[in-house]
């Protein structure tokens, strides 16, 4: 489902070239769940961005299904994101001027799905927000916003779901509920999950783990926990 | 996407930037629309009533009686005809007298349009033909001037006439808005008996013709070759008259001011679009992340902007329509015509203008949303995508040029407007930079002062923009409200108290001595009488002169018409010779003395040989010198003066100017009773009328410039918004450090008051400079440095800017130290 081969990211900083990611390779099978673990600044978000086609690697390649992401242009990657990928972020990233319902409808409408509204309402019921359909993000709590984000991530029935520290901005009780919801929905939909976290307990709920330190994989640690 | 755009618009309609953008669009479009609606209606009125104003489809006018042959020819070609005579004359009633424009008409009058009199109740009564010989129809103004009522008796020359009607609408009154004297209409049959017309009297003889266009065209071909010198044949009402020029200038001025407002509003549109784009970087990244293409995202925000543009333009046009109703009221007495309903042209043009600024100013900043990279969602601290300066500044500039062309049509004027606005801006920006630089030197005492000063000096680009925008608005307003009035006043004051207030024209040679003695016997200074002969310049150095040789309208007019020549032994001391030899007419040589201005205009140089045609005879002479004439003294003077003996005294009438106190008015009545052919012109009343008209036009332009000021404040708001996040953050930190709301309010007040002081002072300085240049170059007046400007300008700047600034930043004051940011 997701294949990563020798991915590296080098940026040019004022102090000269800087390697944020070096030689990352792994494969995730359909239906699997993978946790990417690492300290803050390790390069997890950068990797996730590359995996999801938001950013381009400077070395190596990424395949989603049999699509070589690194060979597509931005519009091509947008098409892949639209049809195959869902996202949940640490800072929710809802569109502030749209209601909860409208936020969930966006990916469906981008795909031209006819029953966008009905499907979005169902999803919001599923995440327990049936009474918040017409609220804008400013009127929702952090946990509620993240539920909307989860509903939106699953709206277009993606085959791949990326989550970047989805509980990072939430207290632990709320975070726990959000994670439960995420895994439950993921199970229902049978999507492949790639989850970035620095929380070892959360990582333990995933099928496989991958440790990153200063932009490099620690393959042995990953194997150890496996 | 369209649905999405509508949805966004509905949600975001109340967000700060869009509200501002909408307001700016409305103000800009309204500013433009008000003036276009008004000028369009005025033009339509002029056009619709063309034939009416002309008095027929074809009109021949002359300053000598028309040959009977022409009437016969008209008769044969089967068109209707009517002849009229118009001239100025004094009418007397009891002890009162007034100058009037007499029109003597025949039974066929009017050929086009209707003449109506004020009737019973308020219903005007339509009449046709001439009044019966013993009666006269007059304008209400005359009754007022003479203090009489309908039914009273007037004396016109040697005849007595009963006022039997008050004119309500005179179709061929034309566009002459300077109503020098009220109209009276009499039957042509009384003219002979009145003895009003003497040799040399200025009378306009007119033959109006109306009929099928083919017959009219044929008649025109027949008459054209028969025209004598000074005869005119027209199918269009006189548009290049002084009135027409004034009318055009007034319209241009209105357009100019509305355009300045429009440009400022456009700047506000651009600024709010810019901020809107910056605030939507994240949303764009989210859409992109969810799989939308860059084009789609751009399309989404473009659609939203265009929808908003349409809304703003429509509302702006409506507001503009209402505003032009106000203009119509303000200018009611200036253009005394009923205006037809507005057409769709200004409506469409204004809508188009609104959409154009939406696109030209609003779209380029949004273009950066296309450049947003989806990875931004993971790294919100990425710098905003940069746009090339070409993309940001070229479309707005092109938009303005396009709009000016659409509006004015004239390339030169367009360039002038752009140059003028650019110069003003440059002046304001340079001044603002300088003053802000100076403010940097101030060592602030206390936290309030520091906060206020750094607010201004650190955000200096924004500060400069705010000063320039509000300064422009203020400057236009100051120019109109203070400078124009002060200029009028200093013009008034420049006229000496004993300057002539009365002109007496049409005096016959035989009457000169009698009138002088009459006045002398009653303790008045003996007036000086100047002979006046009418002639037309036909050749310079034996080269025939014709209108085609000249480009300037005024020069063309000057060579087409006859003008007044005089002769004298000695030139007046008040008009010094600027070049050439002293005036020595005794030498016996045929010489002219020419006024410098007209010499320049007609290309006449010293020692040129000028040939005038006077009553059919050529009179030739050499230009001996050029004179400077100060027309503002109201002394009698002439463009061209001959040596005595060159012109035939039998063709001359005499003119005199003298001062008569209002208490001496009965003297004048007596004089006119004895000499009915005299025409006296009350200069004071005439000046008052001109002053009134200038004030009305000024007021209407002032009204339009309110839009300009509003647009200036919108730019201020837009600029404040740009700094809003930073201000909120600073204010929060200050609050955490223990500053009270009062202190923050004081800091903001100080900052905006300082900005306002700078803007107001610069505006006053700019307005004064313009006023000074106008006075010095155009009107040759002294414009004093001591002016209300220096008080009103800074005061208005401080009050306006502080109020607007505090209102715009009220959130900064209300901020609580606990709010998260
Ligand atoms: N485009 C870039 N330019 C410079 N530095 C970058 C860039 N992208 C990421 N970084 C740096 O790379 C490191 C890894 O960032 P990130 O992937 O966000 O880490 P994590 O998500 O693991 O906390 C950080 O130090 C970050 O500042
Ligand atoms: Mg991260």
């Amino acid at each position: 489902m997701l294949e990563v081969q020798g991915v590296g990211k080098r940026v040019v900083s004022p102090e000269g070239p800087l390697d944020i990611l070096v030689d990352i390779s792994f494969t995730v099978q359909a239906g699997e769940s993978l946790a990417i673990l690492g300290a803050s600044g390790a390069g997890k978000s950068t990797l996730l961005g590359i995996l999801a086609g938001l950013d381009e690697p400077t070395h190596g390649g990424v395949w989603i299904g049999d699509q070589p992401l690194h060979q597509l242009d931005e519009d091509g990657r947008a098409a892949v994101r639209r049809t195959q990928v869902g996202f949940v972020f640490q800072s929710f990233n809802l569109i502030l001027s749209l209601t909860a319902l409208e936020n969930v409808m966006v990916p469906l409408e981008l795909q031209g799905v006819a029953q966008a509204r009905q499907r979005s309402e169902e999803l919001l019921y599923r995440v327990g927000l049936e009474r918040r359909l017409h609220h804008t993000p400013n009127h929702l709590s952090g946990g509620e916003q993240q539920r909307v984000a989860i509903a939106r991530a699953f709206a277009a029935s993606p085959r791949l779901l990326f989550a970047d520290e989805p509980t990072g901005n939430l207290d632990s009780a709320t975070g726990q509920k959000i994670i439960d919801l995420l895994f439950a929905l993921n199970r229902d939909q049978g999507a492949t999950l790639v989850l970035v976290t620095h929380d070892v307990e959360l990582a333990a709920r995933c099928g496989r783990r991958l440790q990153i330190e200063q932009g490099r994989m620690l393959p042995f640690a990953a194997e150890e926990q496996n | 996407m369209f649905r999405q755009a509508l949805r966004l618009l509905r949600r975001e309609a109340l967000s700060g930037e869009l509200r501002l953008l909408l307001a700016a669009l409305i103000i800009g479009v309204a500013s433009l629309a008000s003036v276009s609606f008004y000028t369009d209606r005025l033009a339509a009125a002029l056009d619709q009533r063309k034939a009416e104003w002309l008095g027929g489809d074809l009109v021949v006018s002359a300053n000598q009686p028309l040959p009977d042959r022409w009437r016969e020819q008209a008769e044969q070609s089967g068109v209707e005809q009517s002849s009229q005579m118009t001239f100025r004359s004094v009418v007397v009633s009891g002890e009162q007298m007034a100058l009037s424009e007499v029109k003597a008409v025949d039974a066929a009058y009017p050929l086009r349009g209707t003449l109506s009199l004020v009737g019973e109740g308020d219903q005007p009564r339509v009449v046709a033909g001439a009044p019966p010989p013993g009666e006269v129809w007059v304008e209400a103004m005359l009754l007022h001037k003479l203090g009489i009522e309908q039914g009273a008796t007037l004396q016109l020359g040697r005849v007595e006439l009963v006022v039997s009607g008050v004119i309500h609408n005179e179709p061929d009154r034309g566009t002459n808005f300077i109503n020098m004297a009220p109209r009276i209409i009499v039957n042509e049959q009384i003219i002979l008996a009145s003895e009003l017309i003497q040799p040399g009297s200025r009378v306009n003889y007119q033959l109006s013709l109306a009929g099928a266009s083919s017959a009219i065209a044929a008649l025109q071909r027949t008459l054209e070759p028969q025209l004598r010198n000074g005869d005119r044949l027209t199918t269009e009402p006189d548009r290049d008259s002084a009135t027409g020029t004034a009318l055009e200038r007034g319209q241009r001025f209105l357009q100019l001011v509305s355009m300045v407002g429009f440009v400022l509003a456009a700047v506000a549109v651009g600024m709010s679009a810019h901020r809107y784009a910056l605030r939507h970087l994240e949303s764009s990244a989210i859409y992109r992340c969810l799989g939308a293409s860059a084009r789609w995202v751009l399309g989404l925000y473009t659609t939203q902007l265009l929808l908003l543009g349409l809304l703003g333009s429509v509302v702006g046009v409506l507001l503009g329509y209402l505003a032009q109703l106000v203009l119509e009221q303000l200018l009611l007495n200036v253009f005394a015509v009923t205006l037809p309903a507005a057409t769709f042209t200004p409506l469409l043009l204004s809508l188009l203008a609104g959409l154009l600024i939406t696109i030209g100013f609003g779209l380029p900043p949004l273009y950066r949303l296309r450049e947003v990279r989806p990875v931004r969602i993971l790294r919100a601290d990425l710098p905003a995508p940069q746009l090339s300066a070409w993309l940001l500044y070229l479309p707005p500039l092109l938009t303005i040029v396009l709009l000016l062309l659409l509006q004015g049509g004239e390339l030169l004027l367009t360039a002038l407007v752009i140059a003028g606005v650019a110069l003003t801006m440059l002046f304001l920006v340079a001044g603002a930079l300088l003053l802000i630089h100076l403010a940097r030197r101030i060592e602030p005492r206390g936290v309030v002062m520091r906060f206020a000063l750094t607010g201004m000096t650190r955000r200096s680009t924004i500060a400069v923009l705010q000063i320039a925008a509000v300064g422009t608005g203020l400057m236009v307003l100051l120019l109109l409200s203070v400078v124009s009035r002060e200029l009028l006043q200093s013009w008034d004051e420049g006229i000496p108290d004993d300057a002539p207030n009365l002109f007496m024209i049409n005096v016959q040679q035989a009457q000169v001595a009698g009138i002088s003695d009459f006045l002398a016997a009653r303790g008045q200074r003996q007036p000086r009488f100047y002979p006046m002969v009418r002639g037309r310049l036909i050749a310079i150095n034996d080269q025939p002169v014709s209108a085609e040789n000249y480009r300037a309208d005024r020069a063309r007019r000057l060579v087409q018409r006859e003008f007044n020549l005089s002769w004298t032994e000695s030139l007046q001391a008040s008009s010094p010779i600027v070049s050439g030899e002293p005036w020595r007419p005794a030498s016996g040589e045929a010489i002219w003395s020419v006024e410098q201005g007209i010499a320049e205009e007609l290309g006449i140089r010293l020692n040129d040989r000028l040939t005038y045609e006077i009553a059919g005879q050529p009179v030739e002479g050499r230009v001996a010198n050029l004179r400077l004439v100060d027309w503002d003294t109201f002394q009698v003077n002439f463009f061209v003066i001959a040596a005595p003996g060159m012109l035939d005294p039998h063709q001359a009438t005499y003119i005199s100017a003298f001062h008569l106190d209002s208490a001496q008015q009965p003297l004048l009545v007596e004089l006119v009773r004895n000499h009915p052919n005299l025409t006296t012109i009350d200069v004071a009343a005439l000046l008052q009328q001109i002053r009134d008209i200038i004030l009305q036009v000024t007021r209407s332009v002032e009204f339009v410039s309110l839009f300009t000021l509003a647009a200036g404040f919108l730019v201020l708001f837009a600029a404040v918004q740009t700094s809003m996040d930073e201000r909120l953050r600073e204010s929060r930190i200050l609050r955490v450090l223990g500053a009270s709301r009062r202190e923050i309010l004081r800091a903001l007040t100080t900052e905006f008051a300082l900005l306002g002081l700078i803007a107001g002072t610069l505006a006053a300085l700019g307005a004064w400079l313009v006023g000074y240049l106008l006075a010095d170059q155009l009107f040759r007046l002294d414009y004093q440095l001591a002016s209300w400007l220096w008080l009103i300008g800074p005061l208005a700047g401080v009050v306006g800017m502080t109020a607007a600034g505090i209102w715009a930043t009220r959130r900064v004051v209300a901020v609580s130290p606990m709010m998260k940011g």
Side-chain angles (χ1 to χ4, degrees), chain A residues 74 78 81-82 87 93 95 97 102 109, chain B residues 3-4 7 11-12 282 286 288 291:
Chain A
E74 208 338 268
R81 290 197 296 272
R82 190 159 65 228
F87 293 93
N93 283 314
I95 293 167
S97 44
E102 288 164 351
E109 289 182 331
Chain B
R3 276 231 309 277
Q4 194 80 6
R7 197 178 283 159
R11 285 286 143 50
E12 295 185 341
E282 197 193 315
I286 298 174
R288 295 291 298 282

PDB file of all heavy atoms in Angstrom, chain A residues 74 78 81-82 87 93 95 97 102 109, chain B residues 3-4 7 11-12 282 286 288 291:
ATOM      1  N   GLU A  74       2.440  18.611  -8.732  1.00  0.00           N
ATOM      2  CA  GLU A  74       1.584  18.973  -7.610  1.00  0.00           C
ATOM      3  C   GLU A  74       0.132  18.601  -7.877  1.00  0.00           C
ATOM      4  O   GLU A  74      -0.538  18.052  -7.016  1.00  0.00           O
ATOM      5  CB  GLU A  74       1.729  20.474  -7.337  1.00  0.00           C
ATOM      6  CG  GLU A  74       1.494  20.988  -5.910  1.00  0.00           C
ATOM      7  CD  GLU A  74       0.674  20.135  -4.972  1.00  0.00           C
ATOM      8  OE1 GLU A  74      -0.548  20.312  -4.897  1.00  0.00           O
ATOM      9  OE2 GLU A  74       1.260  19.299  -4.254  1.00  0.00           O
ATOM     10  N   ALA A  78      -2.193  16.105  -5.828  1.00  0.00           N
ATOM     11  CA  ALA A  78      -3.480  16.561  -5.281  1.00  0.00           C
ATOM     12  C   ALA A  78      -4.566  15.542  -5.602  1.00  0.00           C
ATOM     13  O   ALA A  78      -5.404  15.220  -4.754  1.00  0.00           O
ATOM     14  CB  ALA A  78      -3.841  17.923  -5.857  1.00  0.00           C
ATOM     15  N   ARG A  81      -4.206  12.684  -3.233  1.00  0.00           N
ATOM     16  CA  ARG A  81      -4.700  13.046  -1.903  1.00  0.00           C
ATOM     17  C   ARG A  81      -6.221  13.050  -1.866  1.00  0.00           C
ATOM     18  O   ARG A  81      -6.840  12.597  -0.920  1.00  0.00           O
ATOM     19  CB  ARG A  81      -4.204  14.450  -1.513  1.00  0.00           C
ATOM     20  CG  ARG A  81      -2.727  14.540  -1.234  1.00  0.00           C
ATOM     21  CD  ARG A  81      -2.415  15.828  -0.466  1.00  0.00           C
ATOM     22  NE  ARG A  81      -2.704  17.034  -1.210  1.00  0.00           N
ATOM     23  CZ  ARG A  81      -1.840  17.635  -2.028  1.00  0.00           C
ATOM     24  NH1 ARG A  81      -0.634  17.107  -2.208  1.00  0.00           N
ATOM     25  NH2 ARG A  81      -2.157  18.724  -2.666  1.00  0.00           N
ATOM     26  N   ARG A  82      -6.785  13.587  -2.947  1.00  0.00           N
ATOM     27  CA  ARG A  82      -8.237  13.720  -2.998  1.00  0.00           C
ATOM     28  C   ARG A  82      -8.904  12.352  -2.920  1.00  0.00           C
ATOM     29  O   ARG A  82      -9.897  12.173  -2.233  1.00  0.00           O
ATOM     30  CB  ARG A  82      -8.596  14.432  -4.305  1.00  0.00           C
ATOM     31  CG  ARG A  82     -10.009  14.874  -4.429  1.00  0.00           C
ATOM     32  CD  ARG A  82     -10.121  15.978  -5.456  1.00  0.00           C
ATOM     33  NE  ARG A  82      -9.790  15.499  -6.803  1.00  0.00           N
ATOM     34  CZ  ARG A  82      -8.972  16.126  -7.636  1.00  0.00           C
ATOM     35  NH1 ARG A  82      -8.392  17.251  -7.266  1.00  0.00           N
ATOM     36  NH2 ARG A  82      -8.725  15.632  -8.831  1.00  0.00           N
ATOM     37  N   PHE A  87      -6.418  12.954   6.317  1.00  0.00           N
ATOM     38  CA  PHE A  87      -5.473  13.551   7.266  1.00  0.00           C
ATOM     39  C   PHE A  87      -6.139  13.908   8.575  1.00  0.00           C
ATOM     40  O   PHE A  87      -7.273  14.386   8.604  1.00  0.00           O
ATOM     41  CB  PHE A  87      -4.937  14.875   6.716  1.00  0.00           C
ATOM     42  CG  PHE A  87      -4.083  14.726   5.505  1.00  0.00           C
ATOM     43  CD1 PHE A  87      -4.634  14.826   4.244  1.00  0.00           C
ATOM     44  CD2 PHE A  87      -2.732  14.497   5.638  1.00  0.00           C
ATOM     45  CE1 PHE A  87      -3.855  14.706   3.126  1.00  0.00           C
ATOM     46  CE2 PHE A  87      -1.937  14.375   4.518  1.00  0.00           C
ATOM     47  CZ  PHE A  87      -2.497  14.479   3.250  1.00  0.00           C
ATOM     48  N   ASN A  93      -6.743  21.976  12.026  1.00  0.00           N
ATOM     49  CA  ASN A  93      -6.778  22.479  10.655  1.00  0.00           C
ATOM     50  C   ASN A  93      -8.145  22.385   9.993  1.00  0.00           C
ATOM     51  O   ASN A  93      -8.291  21.888   8.889  1.00  0.00           O
ATOM     52  CB  ASN A  93      -5.737  21.769   9.787  1.00  0.00           C
ATOM     53  CG  ASN A  93      -4.353  22.304  10.058  1.00  0.00           C
ATOM     54  OD1 ASN A  93      -4.156  23.502  10.126  1.00  0.00           O
ATOM     55  ND2 ASN A  93      -3.428  21.410  10.275  1.00  0.00           N
ATOM     56  N   ILE A  95     -11.396  24.508   8.421  1.00  0.00           N
ATOM     57  CA  ILE A  95     -11.567  25.804   7.764  1.00  0.00           C
ATOM     58  C   ILE A  95     -12.508  26.637   8.635  1.00  0.00           C
ATOM     59  O   ILE A  95     -13.663  26.275   8.851  1.00  0.00           O
ATOM     60  CB  ILE A  95     -12.093  25.628   6.340  1.00  0.00           C
ATOM     61  CG1 ILE A  95     -10.996  24.952   5.515  1.00  0.00           C
ATOM     62  CG2 ILE A  95     -12.487  26.963   5.725  1.00  0.00           C
ATOM     63  CD1 ILE A  95     -11.439  24.423   4.199  1.00  0.00           C
ATOM     64  N   SER A  97     -14.109  29.343   8.529  1.00  0.00           N
ATOM     65  CA  SER A  97     -15.342  30.015   8.120  1.00  0.00           C
ATOM     66  C   SER A  97     -16.428  29.031   7.704  1.00  0.00           C
ATOM     67  O   SER A  97     -17.511  29.450   7.333  1.00  0.00           O
ATOM     68  CB  SER A  97     -15.044  31.006   7.002  1.00  0.00           C
ATOM     69  OG  SER A  97     -14.184  30.415   6.066  1.00  0.00           O
ATOM     70  N   GLU A 102     -20.055  21.533   6.889  1.00  0.00           N
ATOM     71  CA  GLU A 102     -19.456  21.968   5.627  1.00  0.00           C
ATOM     72  C   GLU A 102     -17.999  21.538   5.523  1.00  0.00           C
ATOM     73  O   GLU A 102     -17.524  21.173   4.451  1.00  0.00           O
ATOM     74  CB  GLU A 102     -19.576  23.485   5.492  1.00  0.00           C
ATOM     75  CG  GLU A 102     -21.001  23.926   5.206  1.00  0.00           C
ATOM     76  CD  GLU A 102     -21.224  25.413   5.461  1.00  0.00           C
ATOM     77  OE1 GLU A 102     -20.325  26.075   6.031  1.00  0.00           O
ATOM     78  OE2 GLU A 102     -22.303  25.908   5.094  1.00  0.00           O
ATOM     79  N   GLU A 109     -17.213  17.034  -1.824  1.00  0.00           N
ATOM     80  CA  GLU A 109     -17.567  17.935  -2.924  1.00  0.00           C
ATOM     81  C   GLU A 109     -16.418  18.053  -3.913  1.00  0.00           C
ATOM     82  O   GLU A 109     -16.642  18.196  -5.112  1.00  0.00           O
ATOM     83  CB  GLU A 109     -17.946  19.308  -2.375  1.00  0.00           C
ATOM     84  CG  GLU A 109     -19.286  19.251  -1.671  1.00  0.00           C
ATOM     85  CD  GLU A 109     -19.728  20.605  -1.138  1.00  0.00           C
ATOM     86  OE1 GLU A 109     -18.858  21.433  -0.811  1.00  0.00           O
ATOM     87  OE2 GLU A 109     -20.942  20.817  -1.053  1.00  0.00           O
TER      88      GLU A 109
ATOM     89  N   ARG B   3     -20.730  26.922  -5.358  1.00  0.00           N
ATOM     90  CA  ARG B   3     -21.484  26.746  -4.114  1.00  0.00           C
ATOM     91  C   ARG B   3     -20.604  27.026  -2.919  1.00  0.00           C
ATOM     92  O   ARG B   3     -20.983  27.693  -1.966  1.00  0.00           O
ATOM     93  CB  ARG B   3     -21.997  25.305  -4.038  1.00  0.00           C
ATOM     94  CG  ARG B   3     -23.290  25.076  -4.775  1.00  0.00           C
ATOM     95  CD  ARG B   3     -24.310  24.385  -3.864  1.00  0.00           C
ATOM     96  NE  ARG B   3     -23.781  23.212  -3.215  1.00  0.00           N
ATOM     97  CZ  ARG B   3     -23.727  21.998  -3.792  1.00  0.00           C
ATOM     98  NH1 ARG B   3     -24.172  21.830  -5.011  1.00  0.00           N
ATOM     99  NH2 ARG B   3     -23.240  20.966  -3.135  1.00  0.00           N
ATOM    100  N   GLN B   4     -19.392  26.476  -3.001  1.00  0.00           N
ATOM    101  CA  GLN B   4     -18.422  26.655  -1.930  1.00  0.00           C
ATOM    102  C   GLN B   4     -18.142  28.149  -1.736  1.00  0.00           C
ATOM    103  O   GLN B   4     -18.083  28.654  -0.621  1.00  0.00           O
ATOM    104  CB  GLN B   4     -17.130  25.920  -2.321  1.00  0.00           C
ATOM    105  CG  GLN B   4     -16.165  25.732  -1.191  1.00  0.00           C
ATOM    106  CD  GLN B   4     -16.551  24.554  -0.307  1.00  0.00           C
ATOM    107  OE1 GLN B   4     -17.487  23.827  -0.629  1.00  0.00           O
ATOM    108  NE2 GLN B   4     -15.877  24.388   0.800  1.00  0.00           N
ATOM    109  N   ARG B   7     -20.953  29.888  -0.083  1.00  0.00           N
ATOM    110  CA  ARG B   7     -20.988  29.486   1.311  1.00  0.00           C
ATOM    111  C   ARG B   7     -19.957  30.297   2.099  1.00  0.00           C
ATOM    112  O   ARG B   7     -20.234  30.842   3.155  1.00  0.00           O
ATOM    113  CB  ARG B   7     -20.647  28.005   1.351  1.00  0.00           C
ATOM    114  CG  ARG B   7     -21.012  27.313   2.603  1.00  0.00           C
ATOM    115  CD  ARG B   7     -20.661  25.861   2.469  1.00  0.00           C
ATOM    116  NE  ARG B   7     -21.617  25.109   1.669  1.00  0.00           N
ATOM    117  CZ  ARG B   7     -21.320  23.942   1.087  1.00  0.00           C
ATOM    118  NH1 ARG B   7     -20.110  23.441   1.177  1.00  0.00           N
ATOM    119  NH2 ARG B   7     -22.242  23.297   0.410  1.00  0.00           N
ATOM    120  N   ARG B  11     -20.474  33.176   5.126  1.00  0.00           N
ATOM    121  CA  ARG B  11     -19.850  33.085   6.436  1.00  0.00           C
ATOM    122  C   ARG B  11     -18.891  34.226   6.715  1.00  0.00           C
ATOM    123  O   ARG B  11     -18.758  34.696   7.819  1.00  0.00           O
ATOM    124  CB  ARG B  11     -19.038  31.792   6.540  1.00  0.00           C
ATOM    125  CG  ARG B  11     -19.832  30.590   6.700  1.00  0.00           C
ATOM    126  CD  ARG B  11     -20.429  30.461   8.094  1.00  0.00           C
ATOM    127  NE  ARG B  11     -21.750  29.897   7.988  1.00  0.00           N
ATOM    128  CZ  ARG B  11     -21.997  28.799   7.295  1.00  0.00           C
ATOM    129  NH1 ARG B  11     -21.039  28.141   6.703  1.00  0.00           N
ATOM    130  NH2 ARG B  11     -23.216  28.347   7.184  1.00  0.00           N
ATOM    131  N   GLU B  12     -18.174  34.621   5.641  1.00  0.00           N
ATOM    132  CA  GLU B  12     -17.088  35.575   5.863  1.00  0.00           C
ATOM    133  C   GLU B  12     -17.492  37.006   5.572  1.00  0.00           C
ATOM    134  O   GLU B  12     -16.693  37.909   5.690  1.00  0.00           O
ATOM    135  CB  GLU B  12     -15.888  35.195   4.986  1.00  0.00           C
ATOM    136  CG  GLU B  12     -15.307  33.872   5.402  1.00  0.00           C
ATOM    137  CD  GLU B  12     -14.053  33.525   4.640  1.00  0.00           C
ATOM    138  OE1 GLU B  12     -13.830  34.120   3.572  1.00  0.00           O
ATOM    139  OE2 GLU B  12     -13.301  32.672   5.113  1.00  0.00           O
ATOM    140  N   GLU B 282      -3.804  29.668   5.347  1.00  0.00           N
ATOM    141  CA  GLU B 282      -3.990  28.367   5.966  1.00  0.00           C
ATOM    142  C   GLU B 282      -5.158  27.615   5.348  1.00  0.00           C
ATOM    143  O   GLU B 282      -5.047  26.426   5.029  1.00  0.00           O
ATOM    144  CB  GLU B 282      -4.198  28.520   7.468  1.00  0.00           C
ATOM    145  CG  GLU B 282      -3.974  27.205   8.182  1.00  0.00           C
ATOM    146  CD  GLU B 282      -4.461  27.209   9.609  1.00  0.00           C
ATOM    147  OE1 GLU B 282      -4.188  28.190  10.316  1.00  0.00           O
ATOM    148  OE2 GLU B 282      -5.119  26.225  10.005  1.00  0.00           O
ATOM    149  N   ILE B 286      -5.219  23.966   3.583  1.00  0.00           N
ATOM    150  CA  ILE B 286      -6.107  22.847   3.953  1.00  0.00           C
ATOM    151  C   ILE B 286      -6.818  22.301   2.720  1.00  0.00           C
ATOM    152  O   ILE B 286      -6.859  21.096   2.487  1.00  0.00           O
ATOM    153  CB  ILE B 286      -7.136  23.280   5.018  1.00  0.00           C
ATOM    154  CG1 ILE B 286      -6.414  23.701   6.293  1.00  0.00           C
ATOM    155  CG2 ILE B 286      -8.106  22.150   5.309  1.00  0.00           C
ATOM    156  CD1 ILE B 286      -7.324  24.287   7.341  1.00  0.00           C
ATOM    157  N   ARG B 288      -5.851  22.483  -0.284  1.00  0.00           N
ATOM    158  CA  ARG B 288      -4.863  21.788  -1.118  1.00  0.00           C
ATOM    159  C   ARG B 288      -4.569  20.415  -0.542  1.00  0.00           C
ATOM    160  O   ARG B 288      -4.466  19.424  -1.254  1.00  0.00           O
ATOM    161  CB  ARG B 288      -3.586  22.604  -1.196  1.00  0.00           C
ATOM    162  CG  ARG B 288      -3.743  23.930  -1.908  1.00  0.00           C
ATOM    163  CD  ARG B 288      -3.977  23.729  -3.374  1.00  0.00           C
ATOM    164  NE  ARG B 288      -2.833  23.065  -4.001  1.00  0.00           N
ATOM    165  CZ  ARG B 288      -1.709  23.693  -4.311  1.00  0.00           C
ATOM    166  NH1 ARG B 288      -1.600  24.981  -4.100  1.00  0.00           N
ATOM    167  NH2 ARG B 288      -0.720  23.039  -4.845  1.00  0.00           N
ATOM    168  N   GLY B 291      -6.850  17.803  -1.329  1.00  0.00           N
ATOM    169  CA  GLY B 291      -6.819  17.324  -2.702  1.00  0.00           C
ATOM    170  C   GLY B 291      -7.288  18.324  -3.736  1.00  0.00           C
ATOM    171  O   GLY B 291      -7.469  17.955  -4.899  1.00  0.00           O
TER     172      GLY B 291
END
